[in-house]
Amino acid sequence: MDPLIVDVHTHIYPPSYLALLSSRTDPPLLHHPKATGDNPKPSPRLIILPSDAPSANPHADPSTLGRPLTEDYSSLTHILQFMDQHCIHTSVLSLANPWLDFLAPDLAPSWSRTVNEELESIAFKNPGRVYFFGTLPLSAPISEIVESINFLTSLPHCRGIILGTSGLGSGLDDPALNPVWAALEQRSVMIFIHPHYGLPTDVFGPRRNESGHVMPLSLGFPMETTIAMVRMFLVGIFDEYPGLRVLLAHAGGAVGALGDRVQSCVEHERGYYSRTNAERIKGPKRSLKEVLKKNVWLDAISYGATGLRMAVELVGKERVMWGSDHPFFPPVGGSEDEEEEEWASVRTNVAAVQEAFGKDEQGMRGVLGSNAVELLGLDTQQEQLTPDLRSDLQ
């Protein structure tokens, strides 16, 4: 029997969010290029980075900036088709970056509620197939953020939150976040930490544009996640809130490769020790390895068996869950019928699980689906709504 596949890392820009982006003139925004004789129906362009904005590229063709906004980004019909095509039974959708980080404090709470209610509605109409991670109004006052957490825990299909690495604007080690951590711990909310801001572009050198987005996505994103996790660890957030549950994107970035080095540096940091004896009086109380084994889960987006084996060794095979990163990394071959084309990124990540586990079928099935079912309490046996009934609910 084919294994159950559950996708815990898959994104959507719901219609309400696209309307918000369309109303903006600064990134993030949805740019609508003017029609030309050569391109009478240009696709809207999703511009989430300032470097891709028309104002930063005055001589560029506007129809080439950012990403083309295809139906894969926002259409539930296309998402379900993608799932069916790749034998994905259940998806845990999350709003794609940059979430609501850019909103003014007075606007963030209402937009957070709008987006979260829309995702709950989508999940309700697709029982057993769709769940979601909610979005917090992080630019709002702390009391509003905590209230949003309380609201999300009341939604039947919400299975956690997605959180960028900037937090309230100063990173996830910001003491101002403590009431948020406390609320998330109290309600046992899964925290899906996902990158967006990357690294300063200068670190990629003067020829960085020659390779497009390769270095920001392959190096910048994973290092952003790694730094965010280490910052949380070093200031003792997991000591103060030992019940926090964190899911790190992209197989934890470089935490697996650098974790032992981080721990060694902690143990050799003179500033953590008393000057009168060898007692360590500062720094994290638990080791990074202990934190990873108790507080952290990883997605399986590694694109290879080597990275996946490292993820499994880091947190344990029961704490790794499969993801597609849809709608990013689509086919680039220019198929005449792209809806029917298999996504190499999906095939690669499924193959990585199969290769990493070899004859360990139970471990393979766990990562592909059953780990997520158990951890997130997913009911994959629910009867599906008929198309007519789903239409009536819309």
Side-chain angles (χ1 to χ4, degrees):
M1 185 174 69
D2 291 337
L4 175 76
I5 298 181
V6 175
D7 189 350
V8 302
H9 186 157
T10 179
H11 302 296
I12 187 173
Y13 291 111
S16 61
Y17 191 80
L18 293 181
L20 171 62
L21 296 188
S22 293
S23 69
R24 293 176 52 80
T25 56
D26 295 317
L29 60 89
L30 191 59
H31 177 61
H32 298 271
K34 295 180 180 179
T36 65
D38 295 334
N39 192 2
K41 293 183 179 181
S43 298
R45 307 296 296 191
L46 182 64
I47 298 174
I48 60 176
L49 299 173
S51 59
D52 289 337
S55 58
N57 301 273
H59 303 297
D61 180 354
S63 66
T64 65
L65 299 176
R67 295 176 179 269
L69 184 72
T70 65
E71 294 289 340
D72 294 301
Y73 286 81
S74 60
S75 166
L76 183 64
T77 298
H78 279 69
I79 291 172
L80 292 173
Q81 288 175 349
F82 166 83
M83 291 169 62
D84 291 340
Q85 180 185 354
H86 295 89
C87 301
I88 298 169
H89 185 281
T90 301
S91 288
V92 185
L93 293 174
S94 54
L95 181 64
N97 49 303
W99 313 288
L100 302 174
D101 292 4
F102 54 89
L103 288 177
D106 60 324
L107 297 177
S110 61
W111 271 107
S112 173
R113 193 176 186 99
T114 295
V115 170
N116 289 326
E117 287 180 339
E118 187 168 9
L119 292 177
E120 172 62 30
S121 176
I122 289 172
F124 172 76
K125 296 170 187 175
N126 296 273
R129 297 221 71 188
V130 177
Y131 290 87
F132 73 100
F133 291 128
T135 305
L136 297 180
L138 292 174
S139 60
I142 290 292
S143 60
E144 297 275 8
I145 300 174
V146 172
E147 176 56 34
S148 180
I149 294 170
N150 295 335
F151 171 68
L152 284 169
T153 58
S154 73
L155 300 179
H157 298 90
C158 182
R159 290 300 182 267
I161 64 160
I162 186 167
L163 183 66
T165 65
S166 69
L168 305 178
S170 298
L172 300 185
D173 53 358
D174 183 356
L177 272 171
N178 287 351
V180 176
W181 298 134
L184 292 168
E185 179 190 43
Q186 180 183 15
R187 293 186 169 273
S188 298
V189 176
M190 178 60 71
I191 308 160
F192 179 25
I193 295 180
H194 192 288
H196 167 67
Y197 300 94
L199 299 177
T201 56
D202 288 349
V203 304
F204 300 124
R207 300 184 63 180
R208 57 187 176 272
N209 291 335
E210 295 178 23
S211 55
H213 293 95
V214 171
M215 287 194 287
L217 293 179
S218 65
L219 301 176
F221 269 26
M223 287 308 303
E224 177 187 348
T225 303
T226 303
I227 292 169
M229 175 64 199
V230 172
R231 285 173 62 175
M232 292 176 68
F233 165 69
L234 291 177
V235 299
I237 288 173
F238 295 102
D239 296 323
E240 185 72 21
Y241 307 100
L244 284 182
R245 305 196 305 164
V246 169
L247 170 62
L248 295 180
H250 310 123
V255 172
L258 299 176
D260 289 339
R261 182 178 179 86
V262 170
Q263 186 62 42
S264 179
C265 289
V266 167
E267 294 170 357
H268 291 84
E269 173 51 51
R270 294 181 183 275
Y272 286 163
Y273 288 84
S274 168
R275 293 190 176 186
T276 58
N277 56 45
E279 181 183 3
R280 184 148 69 87
I281 57 176
K282 295 180 181 180
K285 297 176 182 178
R286 290 187 292 156
S287 70
L288 180 56
K289 188 169 292 186
E290 290 178 272
V291 169
L292 291 168
K293 293 287 188 181
K294 180 179 178 182
N295 299 95
V296 174
W297 286 257
L298 304 177
D299 72 26
I301 300 179
S302 63
Y303 302 102
T306 300
L308 186 56
R309 291 189 188 103
M310 183 179 294
V312 169
E313 182 176 352
L314 194 65
V315 298
K317 65 182 180 180
E318 72 284 354
R319 302 171 79 91
V320 179
M321 299 176 287
W322 192 83
S324 69
D325 215 349
H326 183 267
F328 303 101
F329 301 97
V332 295
S335 169
E336 292 183 1
D337 191 350
E338 292 187 1
E339 291 184 9
E340 298 300 324
E341 186 173 355
E342 182 185 27
W343 288 40
S345 56
V346 175
R347 181 178 66 248
T348 300
N349 278 313
V350 170
V353 177
Q354 294 169 335
E355 181 182 347
F357 283 93
K359 296 181 179 180
D360 182 1
E361 184 173 348
Q362 182 179 2
M364 177 194 70
R365 289 179 178 272
V367 171
L368 288 177
S370 61
N371 289 349
V373 170
E374 182 176 351
L375 175 68
L376 300 177
L378 309 180
D379 184 355
T380 60
Q381 304 301 318
Q382 293 187 57
E383 183 177 351
Q384 299 299 300
L385 299 181
T386 65
D388 289 341
L389 180 55
R390 187 181 295 115
S391 178
D392 290 344
L393 290 170
Q394 292 178 345

